[in-house]
Amino acid sequence: MLKVPDHQVAGHTARHGKLGPLIDDSGRFYKPLQDDERGSKELAFYSSFSSNTRIPDHIHRFFPVFYGTQLLEASDGSGLRPHLVLQDLVSDRLNPSIIDIKIGSRTWYPQASEDYVLRCMKKDKETTSLSLGFRISGLRIYGNSELGFWKPEKKHVQEFTPEDVRLVLRKFVSSNPPIDSNSFPDCCFAPSVYGGSAGILAQLLELKAWFEDQTIYHFNSCSVLMLYEKESVMNGKNSGAEIKLIDFAHVVEGRGVIDHNFLGGLCSFIKFVSEILTGPDEHSTEACSPDSEKKCISTENEHPHHKSEFSDNLSTN
Ligand SMILES: O=P(O)(O)O[C@@H]1[C@@H](OP(=O)(O)O)[C@H](OP(=O)(O)O)[C@H](O)[C@H](OP(=O)(O)O)[C@H]1OP(=O)(O)O
Ligand SMILES: Nc1ncnc2c1ncn2[C@@H]1O[C@H](COP(=O)(O)OP(=O)(O)O)[C@@H](O)[C@H]1O
């Protein structure tokens, strides 16, 4: 049975009779091929990438597994349409917190249409893309079982300033309620999510090392999807922290040239994550003992005014 993924945080959605991705119970994510060249470009990328022997194995793991294409009833009711069949990156997660980070100070590229370039330039200027080299495209951060997720509206996300971005990246790994503007995010979970030999920072650095070298593709307008499970960390289990690259509708050939745009944005994002791990005002050990982590989370329930700003999987985007 195909359904709309309630874990989706950005991009085109299949709600309200629109064309968007679908999932099933077998762990597959079906992304419809758009009519214009975006669909064919993304398919060409996945076909090329999955069979390219020049891509090291340890780099393949940063991409969703590609299972080919399948004709499916499109979510907008327009009938049968080819869909990319991809690994659903969150199918084995219970309540994952997710952020979609679009990398690059420019999302346009010389080969694109004039209209597309103009639209991209406007968005890049109005968001943090130009100033930081990346922007947050969408997110959902888990509060607790009662509050569900904090999932700010698309419009709000598009208005994020660099300071908002810094704050959201802290909230992502904090035990206090993500919506609470009075308490500074404690970053309790930063060491186990961002840090460590297998954490987000280590993964980003591994990806960066490949981008310092690879000249096969230019990843225009691609995103890093960053996810982990807060409940697992709280229960002393592995955080399941992971980064994956997604959205390849605008990938072009690198033709022997380093992808400076992606690399620059990635470095900037890495700096933000590193600063949370090493910043002087971060997680004090006392505030982040296992007991206080649980206490922080449960006190969310004592503030009913927070509740309305949470959405338990309800997407209005
Ligand atoms: O239509 P919109 O305004 O939602 O724009 C989409 C973008 O949403 P945004 O406004 O940047 O958050 C959307 O960005 P996200 O994936 O949401 O980051 C894409 O850029 C999409 O274009 P394409 O499919 O990559 O060519 C964009 O779609 P198109 O407008 O290019 O169809
Ligand atoms: N393979 C996947 N598994 C799980 N979620 C995905 C996957 N690919 C994309 N998503 C979700 O869908 C959103 C939009 O994906 P994207 O490929 O950027 O679509 P669009 O081309 O419409 O922008 C992402 O922000 C993410 O939440």
Side-chain angles (χ1 to χ4, degrees):
M1 198 14 207
L2 291 171
K3 55 189 180 213
V4 178
D6 51 24
H7 58 65
Q8 187 177 343
V9 296
H12 306 97
T13 62
R15 294 184 196 280
H16 314 300
K18 298 227 180 94
L19 187 64
L22 299 166
I23 52 169
D24 64 11
D25 292 330
S26 76
R28 303 273 158 108
F29 185 92
Y30 302 91
K31 183 170 173 180
L33 262 68
Q34 284 166 295
D35 284 328
D36 56 25
E37 60 175 16
R38 280 179 284 181
S40 52
K41 266 195 163 169
E42 190 156 28
L43 172 58
F45 170 76
Y46 270 112
S47 307
S48 153
F49 184 82
S50 56
S51 60
N52 193 326
T53 51
R54 287 189 290 162
I55 314 292
D57 282 347
H58 70 103
I59 293 302
H60 273 286
R61 79 178 169 102
F62 291 121
F63 292 75
V65 179
F66 172 57
Y67 299 101
T69 59
Q70 196 173 325
L71 269 183
L72 295 172
E73 285 293 336
S75 62
D76 60 355
S78 59
L80 286 175
R81 175 185 285 267
H83 287 64
L84 297 170
V85 185
L86 304 171
Q87 167 197 11
D88 181 352
L89 300 169
V90 300
S91 64
D92 55 350
R93 311 290 182 128
L94 211 50
N95 289 306
S97 295
I98 305 176
I99 307 190
D100 178 320
I101 305 118
K102 198 183 276 271
I103 305 289
S105 60
R106 56 165 177 80
T107 52
W108 60 274
Y109 48 104
Q111 299 92 327
S113 71
E114 200 184 331
D115 171 57
Y116 181 82
V117 171
L118 288 175
R119 271 191 298 135
C120 285
M121 280 180 162
K122 187 167 181 291
K123 282 192 211 175
D124 295 348
K125 210 167 89 183
E126 289 170 354
T127 63
T128 62
S129 289
L130 209 54
S131 52
L132 300 182
F134 68 91
R135 69 174 178 254
I136 292 179
S137 281
L139 69 130
R140 59 173 221 166
I141 301 178
Y142 189 66
N144 63 25
S145 57
E146 197 177 322
L147 295 169
F149 293 88
W150 176 52
K151 188 171 189 285
E153 303 239 339
K154 181 170 178 166
K155 197 175 167 301
H156 180 196
V157 175
Q158 284 169 333
E159 288 169 358
F160 279 170
T161 63
E163 222 22 71
D164 293 331
V165 168
R166 203 182 304 278
L167 198 64
V168 166
L169 292 175
R170 293 182 63 101
K171 285 177 177 219
F172 188 62
V173 290
S174 291
S175 70
N176 37 357
I179 194 70
D180 189 350
S181 53
N182 296 322
S183 70
F184 195 61
D186 57 29
C187 293
C188 272
F189 309 130
S192 39
V193 177
Y194 290 155
S197 58
I200 297 284
L201 181 60
Q203 294 178 49
L204 288 168
L205 291 172
E206 196 177 335
L207 195 61
K208 174 177 163 256
W210 183 62
F211 271 92
E212 282 165 344
D213 197 44
Q214 80 84 19
T215 58
I216 311 169
Y217 305 108
H218 282 188
F219 290 85
N220 303 302
S221 208
C222 283
S223 290
V224 164
L225 202 67
M226 174 165 81
L227 51 131
Y228 85 102
E229 282 183 273
K230 192 181 269 185
E231 286 162 318
S232 295
V233 192
M234 289 179 63
N235 293 327
K237 296 189 190 137
N238 188 301
S239 68
E242 204 168 42
I243 56 156
K244 295 279 182 183
L245 288 186
I246 56 159
D247 201 359
F248 309 108
H250 303 284
V251 173
V252 298
E253 283 181 22
R255 299 181 187 277
V257 177
I258 290 283
D259 188 352
H260 303 286
N261 182 54
F262 192 97
L263 182 58
L266 192 61
C267 288
S268 172
F269 180 56
I270 286 172
K271 181 164 175 281
F272 272 72
V273 172
S274 307
E275 280 176 358
I276 292 172
L277 270 170
T278 58
D281 58 344
E282 311 311 315
H283 25 274
S284 90
T285 331
E286 198 189 331
C288 293
S289 68
D291 274 359
S292 63
E293 280 176 14
K294 279 186 188 136
K295 197 162 159 263
C296 273
I297 292 287
S298 59
T299 53
E300 283 174 17
N301 305 342
E302 292 160 21
H303 301 283
H305 59 280
H306 294 147
K307 194 170 179 177
S308 61
E309 307 205 43
F310 274 79
S311 74
D312 192 358
N313 294 336
L314 286 178
S315 166
T316 46
N317 295 342

